[in-house]
Amino acid sequence: MKYLKLLLIFIPISIICEVLKLNEVALFFTSAAAIIPLAGIMGEATEEISVYSGPRIGGFLNATFGNATELIIAFFALKEGLFDIVKASIAGSVIGNVLLVLGASMFVGGLKFKTQTFNKSANEVTSSMLLFAVIGLVVPAIFLHTVKPELLSSPHYEKLSIGIAAFMFIIYICGLFFSFYTHKDIYGTNHSEEIKSKWSLKKSISILVLATVAIALESEFLVGSVESVTHSLGLSEFFVGIILIPIIGNAAEHSTAILMAAKNKMDVALEIALGSSLQIILFVAPLLIFLSLIFKPMDFVFNEFELISIIVAVIIANKVSNDGESNWLEGLQLIAVYGILAISFLII
Amino acid sequence: MKYLKLLLIFIPISIICEVLKLNEVALFFTSAAAIIPLAGIMGEATEEISVYSGPRIGGFLNATFGNATELIIAFFALKEGLFDIVKASIAGSVIGNVLLVLGASMFVGGLKFKTQTFNKSANEVTSSMLLFAVIGLVVPAIFLHTVKPELLSSPHYEKLSIGIAAFMFIIYICGLFFSFYTHKDIYGTNHSEEIKSKWSLKKSISILVLATVAIALESEFLVGSVESVTHSLGLSEFFVGIILIPIIGNAAEHSTAILMAAKNKMDVALEIALGSSLQIILFVAPLLIFLSLIFKPMDFVFNEFELISIIVAVIIANKVSNDGESNWLEGLQLIAVYGILAISFLII
Amino acid sequence: MKYLKLLLIFIPISIICEVLKLNEVALFFTSAAAIIPLAGIMGEATEEISVYSGPRIGGFLNATFGNATELIIAFFALKEGLFDIVKASIAGSVIGNVLLVLGASMFVGGLKFKTQTFNKSANEVTSSMLLFAVIGLVVPAIFLHTVKPELLSSPHYEKLSIGIAAFMFIIYICGLFFSFYTHKDIYGTNHSEEIKSKWSLKKSISILVLATVAIALESEFLVGSVESVTHSLGLSEFFVGIILIPIIGNAAEHSTAILMAAKNKMDVALEIALGSSLQIILFVAPLLIFLSLIFKPMDFVFNEFELISIIVAVIIANKVSNDGESNWLEGLQLIAVYGILAISFLII
């Protein structure tokens, strides 16, 4: 995490790129590099505030602001009407968390510890919730891909997206209620113990606000330069959305999860990876649908590649985490599935 | 269950509607309301007869007559050549049982008891049988949707349906043999204990016969008025078949399952929900295929929406029941999946 | 196994058929009959060599030469450019092993023993590996079936197949490393105990070489007569590839697995059935892709029927073996799924 902060140097560099109207490809990569440590700082500040607010509100804050970076980037893409990039980056965040973050955690943890175990009951809740989330995401999309094209322009279409988004959101709230209230004992008590405040509450809030502003600025640079990047490097918008943007948005979480796995705290690593995916589908995605009503309504219909990738990711993650144990080979399998998806995306 | 019997008043009302040729929409809803308590009475009478016939034959009777209502309704729809409604109502019965009945049971039970447990070994058998049943239903249909359209009119088509139906039926018989003979100890002994006769055998048989006759009459009214209902209310035949008819046919089972769950007898609730689905796919559906040979042969090929719904329902039910435990959130997830499917059906 | 050796008589008979240019259908079936015992002898010889080479290299030899017969048959089909048959026979080998071999083992074993148990941890590794393998096989194919047809002739296409094949191969090597090195204790020690040499090392090697040469010869006959068989018997090339050829190639393994199950050694039966499928996807298939570069590059894109069959086979096998127990009904379900697939293939 400390080394990541060196990337903060890219904040001024990206601003210079923007002001001097330098190469747009440079702007894309410098703003991307700047977002990575900022997302990490935002996460730290949220956790600090949690210490002061007590475990219940703290858990809620973490659960809600955990994917703020993705949300901010997606918001600017939404404003620009880049719906394909917004949806690809949602799908990419899910598969990135479920395959790459979890896979790398299991692999790195598995190199140090022969077999790592984690809380089976808690994982059962998360993984059945994730399955639900994916069904909500996938089923209406498959239905719409199946019906005759002439129906696709009907006004029902948009209503369906809003209905599904509302459903998702309600289940998300119910899930929080389950985790923090009716069944909080399933998750054990190890979380609250290890957190110790290092910043004052005031300092934490100030840092959170500053990081958010900086991320918003850099996200605007990033989204603004996407088009040039796709042209210059010969990548599809889809590839940028599903692979590059999620890696940028999740890099901080990614490194935390691996660090936790290396300390044999697989429960935390799993919660980061799977919990993050859950939030993206049940909270970030519906929120974006609602926000899009301000500009131009975005639908909830992912393309076939996104659907297949999400389905595959959740199936193998379910299988691998089902027995409450992990090892390096399982981690490698998840990474390899990510690799297979990534090279498949290149040919589309 | 007692309150349901008040609905018996709709038997004379529906007959009046029919005789006086009143509004057909009223006929649809009054005959529907009449079927609900009749299905319950039929179930009770079958259970009474089981007490006299001993557990083995009794189990077989329950397993065979458990879905008699669905069978009778489907039979009249078949006679009218309403194949789409027949197939939609089979699919709807499966998803209704697996998602709505099981979901409501887990939810209501989970509100009273924090975690409910059930017999894992018995559930393992039922759920792998259900997976088999779904594969038998889904695979030939996907194949036929995939082959070039010009092949679809070939005579092979009908032969395939009969072949698959025969396969299903044989496995169903083998499953009964497994449950009532070779592995009956898996299921524990709690079933036989709690049943006590309240009616004499003669009375039970008379009630069964009467209820069957009344259901047959009301089913004819129901099926006869379907077309008017779809026109008047702007619903598709598909929606009526997959949502409304199964709710009517399963309402009695539905309330029994929830009642059992509220008494913490989750094993019984699961058997009603999943066992019912099994019977519909492995016994009712093949029987309808065979019966259709009398009128005009019906094929076994479900449409894409039915297939996707069934697949999704079985996958999430499997996931949720896999660990031998349930809670309110899992119940809610199942209900929410049913809701997502239902609003998706509306837009087709 | 002993009775199978009587089939060796078909070696001279098939040679006579070929030399005298007799009926090509007779050539197909006599060479098929000759391959069955030869595949068995090849397996025996490999196992004998393992005794001398020690468990680690022995395991590797078994894992690598276990599907030599399929590889040799496919090689000759590849040389003839019969890509559809090669791919169908890969798919058929997977579903044959996963459904027919495993199903028959569970069924026959289950008739003798009420419930058979097997090593859950080892099965967990194999089945998650199998799931990975299937994802690698299926995802790029679905992607390519989904993209617009005009993209299908792009040079990316071939590169993708080679890339995926390389990925598969690396994971296969990692899997061997896992099984024979880092986590070999998961698998218990029962394997090494029961093997006792009956042949000298020199004799074993001679027999292995002889059997390989004979299989190569008979495979050339078999592949050469496929076309006549499809014409004469009215079967599609696809049916021959996916049903007939895999049964020929796997008959020896098939009988060994059933024999083991009947002795209540379910671990060995599972390893033969699932381990074989793994090898075919992760080792034989990539090797064929690489070998095809010598003649004319073959792609890795299976057709929809192959994909669906493989997916279905792996899902139900996973479900059935997931709890570490088996019984006759589970075996019957697997066999019935194979039957449903087989009759579905007939109508295509």
Side-chain angles (χ1 to χ4, degrees):
Chain A
M1 284 296 285
K2 275 188 182 161
Y3 299 107
L4 280 183
K5 287 196 183 146
L6 295 176
L7 293 173
L8 288 173
I9 188 70
F10 283 104
I11 301 183
I13 299 181
S14 65
I15 295 176
I16 293 168
C17 280
E18 169 70 9
V19 173
L20 301 183
K21 300 279 169 211
L22 292 177
N23 188 336
E24 291 237 312
V25 175
L27 180 62
F28 181 86
F29 286 105
T30 51
S31 57
I35 288 173
I36 292 172
L38 285 169
I41 290 169
M42 189 185 239
E44 268 179 276
T46 312
E47 248 172 63
E48 287 299 309
I49 296 171
S50 319
V51 181
Y52 293 96
S53 63
R56 200 159 300 170
I57 297 176
F60 180 80
L61 282 178
N62 267 315
T64 312
F65 284 99
N67 289 293
T69 308
E70 281 94 330
L71 187 59
I72 295 171
I73 298 177
F75 176 80
F76 284 100
L78 200 68
K79 223 181 91 188
E80 296 291 316
L82 301 168
F83 291 168
D84 286 346
I85 288 196
V86 174
K87 286 191 274 181
S89 75
I90 291 174
S93 261
V94 174
I95 61 169
N97 274 301
V98 163
L99 296 176
L100 205 53
V101 177
L102 187 58
S105 301
M106 285 184 171
F107 182 69
V108 172
L111 292 183
K112 274 184 82 170
F113 304 93
K114 191 171 173 182
T115 304
Q116 297 187 294
T117 56
F118 41 86
N119 183 335
K120 222 173 146 174
S121 302
N123 179 254
E124 193 68 37
V125 177
T126 312
S127 67
S128 78
M129 193 63 136
L130 191 57
L131 183 62
F132 164 76
V134 168
I135 288 175
L137 206 68
V138 161
V139 169
I142 299 182
F143 271 36
L144 287 169
H145 286 298
T146 310
V147 290
K148 289 156 213 95
E150 57 265 28
L151 279 167
L152 283 179
S153 50
S154 80
H156 290 312
Y157 196 59
E158 193 183 297
K159 272 187 212 155
L160 176 67
S161 288
I162 296 173
I164 302 283
F167 249 107
M168 302 287 233
F169 203 77
I170 293 166
I171 293 285
Y172 182 65
I173 302 297
C174 292
L176 292 181
F177 187 67
F178 182 91
S179 300
F180 295 122
Y181 193 78
T182 70
H183 286 66
K184 63 176 182 290
D185 52 310
I186 289 182
Y187 300 86
T189 49
N190 41 343
H191 282 268
S192 43
E193 279 176 63
E194 48 189 296
I195 303 171
K196 239 188 77 183
S197 72
K198 70 182 173 200
W199 298 334
S200 73
L201 177 59
K202 207 177 145 187
K203 187 176 169 193
S204 305
I205 294 178
S206 315
I207 290 176
L208 181 64
V209 172
L210 271 176
T212 308
V213 171
I215 288 179
L217 182 75
E218 297 293 340
S219 297
E220 210 166 357
F221 294 170
L222 187 83
V223 169
S225 55
V226 157
E227 218 168 315
S228 309
V229 167
T230 55
H231 278 101
S232 315
L233 303 188
L235 297 170
S236 63
E237 280 202 358
F238 177 67
F239 190 83
V240 172
I242 204 159
I243 299 288
L244 292 190
I245 292 182
I247 286 182
I248 298 163
N250 290 316
E253 273 164 316
H254 201 135
S255 58
T256 312
I258 295 176
L259 218 70
M260 289 297 159
K263 286 182 188 162
N264 210 10
K265 294 182 179 171
M266 279 309 286
D267 280 319
V268 185
L270 253 107
E271 177 159 344
I272 293 175
L274 300 185
S276 240
S277 310
L278 261 184
Q279 273 174 52
I280 286 167
I281 305 181
L282 297 179
F283 176 73
V284 175
L287 202 62
L288 288 170
I289 296 290
F290 298 142
L291 283 175
S292 80
L293 298 177
I294 310 173
F295 312 113
K296 191 192 142 199
M298 183 178 78
D299 62 56
F300 216 33
V301 184
F302 290 79
N303 70 34
E304 288 97 337
F305 308 109
E306 291 159 351
L307 297 174
I308 295 165
S309 309
I310 291 174
I311 294 172
V312 160
V314 170
I315 289 175
I316 192 153
N318 237 311
K319 174 73 192 168
V320 155
S321 68
N322 198 31
D323 59 349
E325 289 183 358
S326 69
N327 55 53
W328 67 264
L329 184 63
E330 291 184 331
L332 197 64
Q333 287 167 349
L334 293 180
I335 297 170
V337 171
Y338 189 81
I340 288 173
L341 290 175
I343 61 172
S344 302
F345 291 148
L346 272 178
I347 63 140
I348 302 173
Chain B
M1 282 299 285
K2 275 187 181 162
Y3 300 106
L4 278 184
K5 288 197 183 144
L6 295 175
L7 294 174
L8 288 173
I9 188 71
F10 283 103
I11 300 181
I13 300 181
S14 65
I15 294 176
I16 293 169
C17 280
E18 169 71 8
V19 173
L20 301 183
K21 300 279 167 211
L22 292 176
N23 187 336
E24 290 237 312
V25 175
L27 181 63
F28 182 86
F29 286 104
T30 52
S31 56
I35 289 173
I36 291 171
L38 285 168
I41 291 168
M42 189 186 239
E44 269 179 273
T46 312
E47 247 172 61
E48 287 298 310
I49 296 171
S50 317
V51 182
Y52 294 95
S53 64
R56 200 159 299 169
I57 295 176
F60 180 79
L61 283 177
N62 268 314
T64 313
F65 284 99
N67 289 293
T69 310
E70 281 94 329
L71 187 59
I72 295 170
I73 299 177
F75 176 81
F76 284 100
L78 200 69
K79 224 181 92 187
E80 296 292 316
L82 301 168
F83 291 169
D84 285 347
I85 289 196
V86 174
K87 286 190 274 182
S89 76
I90 292 174
S93 261
V94 173
I95 62 168
N97 273 300
V98 162
L99 296 177
L100 205 54
V101 177
L102 187 58
S105 300
M106 285 184 170
F107 182 70
V108 172
L111 292 182
K112 276 183 81 169
F113 304 93
K114 191 173 172 181
T115 304
Q116 298 187 292
T117 56
F118 41 86
N119 183 335
K120 223 175 146 174
S121 302
N123 180 255
E124 192 69 36
V125 177
T126 311
S127 67
S128 78
M129 193 63 136
L130 193 56
L131 182 63
F132 164 77
V134 169
I135 288 175
L137 208 67
V138 161
V139 168
I142 298 182
F143 271 36
L144 286 168
H145 286 298
T146 309
V147 289
K148 288 153 212 101
E150 59 264 29
L151 278 167
L152 283 179
S153 50
S154 78
H156 291 313
Y157 196 59
E158 194 183 297
K159 272 187 213 156
L160 176 67
S161 288
I162 298 173
I164 302 284
F167 249 107
M168 303 287 233
F169 203 78
I170 293 167
I171 293 285
Y172 182 66
I173 303 297
C174 291
L176 292 180
F177 187 68
F178 182 91
S179 301
F180 296 122
Y181 193 78
T182 71
H183 287 66
K184 63 176 182 292
D185 52 308
I186 289 183
Y187 300 86
T189 49
N190 41 343
H191 282 267
S192 43
E193 280 175 62
E194 47 189 294
I195 304 171
K196 239 190 78 184
S197 71
K198 71 183 174 199
W199 298 334
S200 73
L201 179 58
K202 209 177 142 184
K203 188 177 168 192
S204 306
I205 294 177
S206 313
I207 290 176
L208 181 64
V209 171
L210 273 175
T212 307
V213 171
I215 288 178
L217 182 74
E218 298 292 341
S219 298
E220 210 165 356
F221 294 170
L222 187 84
V223 168
S225 55
V226 157
E227 218 168 315
S228 309
V229 168
T230 55
H231 278 101
S232 314
L233 304 187
L235 296 169
S236 64
E237 281 201 359
F238 177 67
F239 189 84
V240 172
I242 204 159
I243 300 287
L244 293 190
I245 292 182
I247 286 181
I248 299 162
N250 290 317
E253 273 164 316
H254 201 136
S255 58
T256 312
I258 295 176
L259 219 70
M260 290 296 159
K263 287 181 188 162
N264 209 11
K265 294 183 180 170
M266 281 307 287
D267 280 318
V268 185
L270 252 107
E271 174 156 347
I272 293 174
L274 301 186
S276 242
S277 310
L278 260 185
Q279 273 173 53
I280 287 165
I281 304 181
L282 297 180
F283 176 72
V284 175
L287 202 61
L288 288 170
I289 296 290
F290 298 142
L291 283 174
S292 80
L293 298 177
I294 309 174
F295 313 115
K296 189 191 143 199
M298 184 177 78
D299 63 57
F300 217 33
V301 183
F302 291 80
N303 70 34
E304 287 96 338
F305 308 109
E306 292 159 350
L307 297 175
I308 295 165
S309 309
I310 292 175
I311 293 172
V312 160
V314 170
I315 288 175
I316 192 154
N318 237 312
K319 174 72 191 168
V320 155
S321 68
N322 198 32
D323 59 349
E325 289 183 359
S326 68
N327 56 53
W328 67 265
L329 185 63
E330 291 183 330
L332 198 65
Q333 287 167 349
L334 294 180
I335 297 171
V337 171
Y338 189 81
I340 288 173
L341 290 175
I343 62 172
S344 302
F345 291 147
L346 273 178
I347 63 140
I348 301 173
Chain C
M1 285 296 285
K2 274 189 181 160
Y3 299 106
L4 279 184
K5 288 199 183 147
L6 295 175
L7 294 173
L8 288 173
I9 189 72
F10 283 103
I11 300 181
I13 300 182
S14 65
I15 294 176
I16 293 168
C17 280
E18 168 71 8
V19 172
L20 300 183
K21 300 279 168 210
L22 292 176
N23 188 335
E24 291 237 311
V25 175
L27 181 62
F28 180 86
F29 286 103
T30 51
S31 56
I35 288 173
I36 292 171
L38 285 169
I41 290 168
M42 189 186 239
E44 270 179 274
T46 312
E47 247 172 63
E48 287 298 309
I49 296 171
S50 319
V51 181
Y52 293 95
S53 63
R56 200 160 297 170
I57 296 176
F60 180 80
L61 283 178
N62 267 315
T64 313
F65 284 99
N67 289 293
T69 310
E70 281 94 330
L71 187 59
I72 294 170
I73 298 178
F75 176 81
F76 283 101
L78 199 69
K79 223 181 91 186
E80 296 291 315
L82 300 168
F83 292 168
D84 286 347
I85 289 195
V86 174
K87 286 190 274 182
S89 75
I90 292 174
S93 261
V94 173
I95 63 169
N97 274 300
V98 162
L99 296 176
L100 204 55
V101 177
L102 186 58
S105 301
M106 285 184 171
F107 182 70
V108 172
L111 292 182
K112 276 183 82 169
F113 304 92
K114 192 172 173 181
T115 304
Q116 296 187 293
T117 56
F118 41 85
N119 184 334
K120 224 174 145 173
S121 303
N123 180 254
E124 193 69 37
V125 177
T126 311
S127 67
S128 77
M129 193 62 135
L130 192 56
L131 183 62
F132 163 77
V134 167
I135 288 175
L137 207 67
V138 159
V139 169
I142 299 182
F143 271 37
L144 286 169
H145 285 299
T146 309
V147 291
K148 289 155 211 97
E150 59 263 30
L151 278 167
L152 283 178
S153 49
S154 78
H156 290 313
Y157 197 60
E158 193 184 299
K159 273 186 212 154
L160 176 67
S161 289
I162 297 173
I164 302 285
F167 249 106
M168 302 289 231
F169 203 77
I170 292 166
I171 294 286
Y172 182 65
I173 302 297
C174 291
L176 293 180
F177 187 67
F178 182 90
S179 302
F180 295 122
Y181 193 78
T182 70
H183 286 66
K184 62 176 183 291
D185 52 310
I186 290 183
Y187 299 86
T189 48
N190 41 344
H191 281 267
S192 43
E193 279 177 63
E194 47 189 294
I195 303 171
K196 237 189 79 184
S197 71
K198 73 184 172 199
W199 298 334
S200 72
L201 178 58
K202 207 177 143 186
K203 188 176 168 190
S204 305
I205 294 178
S206 313
I207 290 176
L208 181 64
V209 171
L210 272 175
T212 308
V213 170
I215 288 179
L217 182 74
E218 298 293 341
S219 298
E220 208 165 357
F221 294 170
L222 188 83
V223 169
S225 56
V226 156
E227 217 169 314
S228 309
V229 167
T230 55
H231 278 101
S232 315
L233 304 187
L235 297 169
S236 63
E237 280 202 358
F238 177 67
F239 189 84
V240 172
I242 204 161
I243 300 289
L244 292 190
I245 291 181
I247 287 182
I248 298 162
N250 289 316
E253 272 165 317
H254 201 136
S255 58
T256 311
I258 295 176
L259 219 71
M260 289 296 158
K263 286 182 188 163
N264 210 9
K265 294 183 180 170
M266 279 308 287
D267 279 318
V268 185
L270 253 108
E271 175 159 345
I272 292 174
L274 301 185
S276 241
S277 309
L278 261 184
Q279 273 173 51
I280 286 167
I281 305 181
L282 296 180
F283 176 72
V284 174
L287 201 62
L288 288 170
I289 297 291
F290 298 142
L291 283 175
S292 80
L293 298 176
I294 309 174
F295 313 114
K296 192 192 141 197
M298 183 178 79
D299 63 57
F300 216 34
V301 183
F302 291 79
N303 70 34
E304 287 97 337
F305 309 108
E306 291 159 350
L307 297 175
I308 295 165
S309 308
I310 291 175
I311 293 171
V312 160
V314 169
I315 288 175
I316 192 154
N318 238 312
K319 173 73 191 167
V320 156
S321 68
N322 197 31
D323 59 349
E325 288 183 359
S326 69
N327 55 54
W328 66 265
L329 185 63
E330 291 184 329
L332 198 64
Q333 287 168 349
L334 294 180
I335 297 171
V337 171
Y338 189 81
I340 288 174
L341 290 175
I343 63 172
S344 303
F345 292 147
L346 273 178
I347 63 140
I348 302 172

